[in-house]
Amino acid sequence: MEQLHIDSFTVVGLTARTSNAKEASGNGVIGGLWARFRKDGLLDRIKHRADSHIVAVYSEYESDKDGEYTYTLGSKVTSAKDVPAEMVARRTDSGEYGIFTAQGGPAIQLVMGLWQRIWSLEKSPRLRRAYRTDFEIYLNPDAEDAGQKVDVYIGLKRP
């Protein structure tokens, strides 16, 4: 795990409240947000995009990995002006983040593998999560499975 300081930034996108238990039960909302995001071409409706990446932000944690959180799927922006009616602007926290990277497979498999690793490390003192904001960056959102690359940034507690 690489660790570095990340300055706060804003993501504009679709948002929903969920939990890991809800997502694992088959009654989750994240898959539906992704389907709507892609089907309706919502990435192209976000103005002031900072780059071509897709970003998913986890915020407003109720407690820890077992509690509810807010999931926002969209794009990093240089300005939170002109937010489409069905979307929100969500600001990440500035701070220390641990970075986990995976590439070369379907995005969903890459991300699930990274989260399994993160939850496993969380059981040891090696990973002390802040549970304020975490985020995923899909670096090649239009690539075929072999070209996918995903970075997951985990907000860390201050020492």
Side-chain angles (χ1 to χ4, degrees):
M1 172 184 73
E2 181 183 352
Q3 183 176 332
L4 64 122
H5 180 85
I6 303 289
D7 290 330
S8 180
F9 61 88
T10 301
V11 169
V12 168
L14 300 175
T15 194
R17 193 88 176 141
T18 191
S19 69
N20 290 333
K22 194 181 294 183
E23 294 303 314
S25 74
N27 295 319
V29 297
I30 293 175
L33 286 180
W34 272 95
R36 181 172 170 220
F37 195 75
R38 292 218 186 266
K39 179 178 138 289
D40 296 345
L42 297 180
L43 188 62
D44 295 332
R45 296 186 44 213
I46 299 172
K47 298 183 180 185
H48 314 291
R49 287 178 36 210
D51 52 41
S52 63
H53 306 147
I54 293 175
V55 179
V57 177
Y58 298 77
S59 61
E60 300 174 343
Y61 283 95
E62 178 181 71
S63 56
D64 57 14
K65 68 178 178 56
D66 299 320
E68 287 195 349
Y69 55 86
T70 300
Y71 182 87
T72 305
L73 177 64
S75 182
K76 185 176 178 180
V77 295
T78 57
S79 170
K81 294 180 183 177
D82 308 312
V83 175
E86 69 275 18
M87 297 186 197
V88 300
R90 178 88 54 221
R91 192 138 182 92
T92 64
D93 285 345
S94 179
E96 296 301 310
Y97 284 82
I99 305 168
F100 298 83
T101 300
Q103 62 185 25
I108 187 70
Q109 289 178 358
L110 297 176
V111 170
M112 285 310 302
L114 288 174
W115 279 108
Q116 293 295 330
R117 184 171 160 216
I118 290 162
W119 294 328
S120 175
L121 284 173
E122 198 172 2
K123 295 175 185 173
S124 74
R126 293 177 46 197
L127 182 63
R128 297 184 35 183
R129 291 182 64 188
Y131 283 103
R132 295 181 51 89
T133 53
D134 303 313
F135 56 94
E136 302 162 349
I137 299 179
Y138 295 80
L139 299 163
N140 303 317
D142 296 324
E144 295 298 321
D145 290 344
Q148 287 291 340
K149 183 176 180 192
V150 180
D151 290 338
V152 176
Y153 291 74
I154 300 298
L156 302 174
K157 285 184 180 177
R158 294 181 182 152

